[in-house]
Amino acid sequence: ASKGKSLEEQAMALKPLDVPKPEPDYKGPKLEPPDSPITVDWVMSLIRHFQQYPDVPLPARYLCRLLADAEARFKSHRTPVWQIDLPDEDTELVVVGDTHGQLEDVLWIFYKLGPPSPQNRYLIN
């Protein structure tokens, strides 16, 4: 099925279930069964895991799932610009410049300014 496709095209066609389950010794947050919803609690446990164990990679299945969900969410909007309503004056909007993919920097920002929540929203370039 992958004959004639570039490595990038093959990677883009992957679905979470195409990727093996995490190894049995993986101790980070689990997202099983594979169609479990990605919840705020799971994301927060993932953030804590990366803060404590920055050298332990996210299993490929979970990365693929995060990317698939993000892609679906972005495709569901008519335009790439989103209107964000802040419900009340107790809600903070933290604007973060380009982090160049540095997860450690994003985790530091969350540590200093608080994690994303309904009262603490982030706009990341």
Side-chain angles (χ1 to χ4, degrees):
S2 63
K3 191 174 184 179
K5 289 186 176 181
S6 71
L7 188 57
E8 181 181 351
E9 289 170 322
Q10 292 175 47
M12 294 298 291
L14 277 178
K15 303 292 181 229
L17 290 177
D18 297 336
V19 181
K21 285 183 176 183
E23 295 295 325
D25 62 344
Y26 172 68
K27 302 291 186 226
K30 307 237 185 323
L31 191 58
E32 300 294 338
D35 60 347
S36 297
I38 295 176
T39 64
V40 171
D41 288 340
W42 185 81
V43 172
M44 293 309 300
S45 65
L46 186 63
I47 289 170
R48 285 189 298 277
H49 176 73
F50 280 134
Q51 288 171 328
Q52 294 173 357
Y53 308 102
D55 296 330
V56 177
L58 183 65
R61 176 179 276 195
Y62 299 164
L63 176 61
C64 190
R65 171 66 191 285
L66 285 169
L67 293 173
D69 282 20
E71 180 182 31
R73 182 145 174 105
F74 283 117
K75 283 183 174 181
S76 71
H77 282 72
R78 295 183 307 269
T79 68
V81 177
W82 293 10
Q83 296 293 325
I84 300 173
D85 294 324
L86 299 179
D88 57 47
E89 56 192 49
D90 292 332
T91 302
E92 294 288 329
L93 176 63
V94 180
V95 179
V96 179
D98 195 346
T99 61
H100 299 277
Q102 296 300 310
L103 179 60
E104 188 174 324
D105 292 345
V106 173
L107 294 176
W108 177 251
I109 291 167
F110 289 170
Y111 171 75
K112 293 301 280 183
L113 302 176
S117 71
Q119 287 72 41
N120 196 32
R121 298 184 182 196
Y122 280 83
L123 174 63
I124 300 175
N125 174 17

